[in-house]
C-alpha cells in the first residue's frame, strides 16, 4: 500500500513479493508444500496487503480435477519474513467447483472479507474473518451466483460485494444484514470499490460498463458504457475525482 512492493500468485501455488523495480524479495511456498505433485497444488486466486503493509492474505483452492472434495484455503503471511501467521480453512464442498475467489482487509486491518462460488446457492457466500485469530465471524448469503469482488467502506462499517448474478450488495459489517441491492448491469459484475469519502460505489462489469452508485441509496449515478472490453477491475483515485478501469 506504500507503493514499494507488490505481490503475485498463480497456478503454481506460490505467492511472491517483489519490489517496485521487479526484483523478487520473498517467495512463499505455503500453498504448495515441498515435492507436491502438480495435481495437488492449490491455485492462488486473490492477494491483498494489510493496511500497514506488514501482512498479506492469499486465497487459494485445490484444483485437482480428480478430487471429489475441493478445499479452499486462506493464509496470512508476514511480508518481512514470509512466515505463515495463520491459516483460515473454508468449507469442504462436495463439488469440483468451489473456491474462495477474492479477499480483502478492513481499513483497520482487524477483519478479512471473502467471496466464493460453489455448486449451489449456499456456496455463493460473503464471509468475515478475524484477521488475527483466523476465526470465521460471519457468513452472509444473498447472491445467487459467484461472488467475484468484495470491498469495505472507508469507515469499515459497510461491505460491498460484486457477483456473477449481475448485482451488487451492500452489507452491514456489524450485523451481516443486507442493506442495499444494486441492479442495472447486464452481465457478471467483477469488481467493486468505495470512493475515498464512502459516498459512492464503482463497479466494473462483463457488459463493458463502469457504473457509479450512491452508497447511501443504491441509486445509479453514472454509467460509462461502450468500453473496449469487459471490465475486471475498478479503482478510485485518492481524491475520488477519477476512476481507473480495465
Amino acid at each position: 500500500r506504500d507503493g514499494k512492493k507488490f505481490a503475485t500468485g498463480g497456478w503454481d501455488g506460490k505467492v511472491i513479493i517483489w519490489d517496485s523495480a521487479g526484483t523478487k524479495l520473498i517467495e512463499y511456498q505455503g500453498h504448495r508444500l515441498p515435492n507436491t505433485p502438480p495435481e495437488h497444488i492449490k491455485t492462488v486466486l486473490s492477494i491483498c496487503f494489510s493496511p500497514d503493509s506488514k501482512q498479506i492474505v492469499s486465497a487459494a483452492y485445490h484444483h485437482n480435477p480428480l478430487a471429489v472434495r475441493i478445499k479452499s484455503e486462506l493464509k496470512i503471511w508476514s511480508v518481512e519474513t514470509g512466515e505463515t501467521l495463520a491459516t483460515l480453512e473454508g468449507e469442504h464442498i462436495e463439488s469440483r467447483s468451489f473456491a474462495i475467489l477474492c479477499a480483502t482487509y478492513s481499513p483497520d486491518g482487524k477483519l478479512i472479507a471473502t467471496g466464493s462460488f460453489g455448486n449451489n446457492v449456499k456456496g455463493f457466500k460473503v464471509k468475515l474473518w478475524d484477521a488475527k485469530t483466523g476465526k470465521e465471524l460471519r457468513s452472509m448469503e444473498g447472491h445467487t451466483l459467484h461472488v467475484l469482488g468484495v470491498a469495505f467502506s472507508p469507515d469499515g462499517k459497510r461491505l460491498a460485494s460484486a457477483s456473477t448474478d449481475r448485482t451488487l450488495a451492500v452489507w452491514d459489517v456489524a450485523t451481516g444484514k443486507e442493506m442495499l441491492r444494486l441492479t442495472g448491469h447486464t452481465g457478471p459484475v467483477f469488481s467493486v470499490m468505495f470512493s475515498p469519502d464512502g459516498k459512492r460505489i464503482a463497479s466494473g462489469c462483463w457488459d463493458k460498463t463502469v457504473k457509479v452508485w450512491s452508497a447511501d441509496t443504491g441509486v445509479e449515478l453514472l454509467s460509462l458504457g461502450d468500453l473496449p472490453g469487459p471490465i475486471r477491475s475498478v479503482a478510485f483515485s485518492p481524491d475520488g475525482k477519477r476512476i481507473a478501469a480495465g
Side-chain angles (χ1 to χ4, degrees):
R1 292 174 185 263
D2 58 11
K4 296 180 180 179
K5 300 184 180 86
F6 65 94
T8 60
W11 289 95
D12 60 3
K14 298 177 182 178
V15 175
I16 302 174
I17 301 293
W18 312 76
D19 67 16
S20 57
T23 302
K24 184 190 294 187
L25 301 176
I26 298 178
E27 183 176 297
Y28 308 147
Q29 295 280 351
H31 291 300
R32 179 178 182 174
L33 299 177
N35 303 315
T36 302
E39 65 269 20
H40 294 294
I41 295 172
K42 292 184 177 72
T43 300
V44 180
L45 296 179
S46 180
I47 304 172
C48 182
F49 279 91
S50 61
D52 62 7
S53 298
K54 293 181 179 180
Q55 300 175 2
I56 60 171
V57 60
S58 58
Y61 83 111
H62 186 190
H63 68 278
N64 180 359
L66 302 178
V68 176
R69 297 174 73 87
I70 302 299
K71 181 180 180 182
S72 283
E73 183 178 72
L74 285 169
K75 284 186 178 288
I76 300 173
W77 317 78
S78 165
V79 171
E80 182 178 356
T81 66
E83 176 188 2
T84 302
L85 302 176
T87 298
L88 299 65
E89 295 190 354
E91 294 171 279
H92 295 238
I93 302 295
E94 293 287 347
S95 166
R96 294 183 182 179
S97 58
F98 173 81
I100 294 172
L101 293 173
C102 51
T104 190
Y105 277 92
S106 60
D108 62 7
K110 294 181 179 180
L111 300 175
I112 292 172
T114 62
S116 64
F117 75 77
N119 64 334
N120 54 49
V121 173
K122 290 187 177 298
F124 311 131
K125 295 180 179 180
V126 177
K127 288 178 178 281
L128 290 174
W129 312 75
D130 186 304
K132 185 176 181 179
T133 66
K135 180 181 178 182
E136 182 182 321
L137 302 176
R138 190 164 290 112
S139 182
M140 295 166 279
E141 298 180 17
H143 285 297
T144 58
L145 287 171
H146 314 340
V147 180
L148 302 178
V150 286
F152 282 95
S153 60
D155 62 7
K157 294 181 178 180
R158 293 168 292 171
L159 179 69
S161 56
S163 173
T164 307
D165 66 11
R166 304 183 180 185
T167 74
L168 299 105
V170 178
W171 312 85
D172 185 306
V173 170
T175 65
K177 293 183 179 180
E178 184 175 321
M179 302 171 66
L180 295 171
R181 179 67 60 147
L182 284 55
T183 61
H185 279 298
T186 59
V189 188
F190 283 97
S191 182
V192 61
M193 181 68 65
F194 276 90
S195 61
D197 61 8
K199 295 181 179 180
R200 292 161 294 155
I201 294 171
S203 58
C205 183
W206 183 263
D207 63 10
K208 302 181 182 181
T209 66
V210 171
K211 290 184 182 291
V212 180
W213 317 77
S214 166
D216 294 325
T217 65
V219 172
E220 182 180 318
L221 304 176
L222 177 68
S223 182
L224 306 173
D226 198 25
L227 299 176
I231 305 301
R232 297 180 179 270
S233 183
V234 293
F236 279 95
S237 60
D239 62 6
K241 295 181 179 180
R242 296 177 177 84
I243 296 174

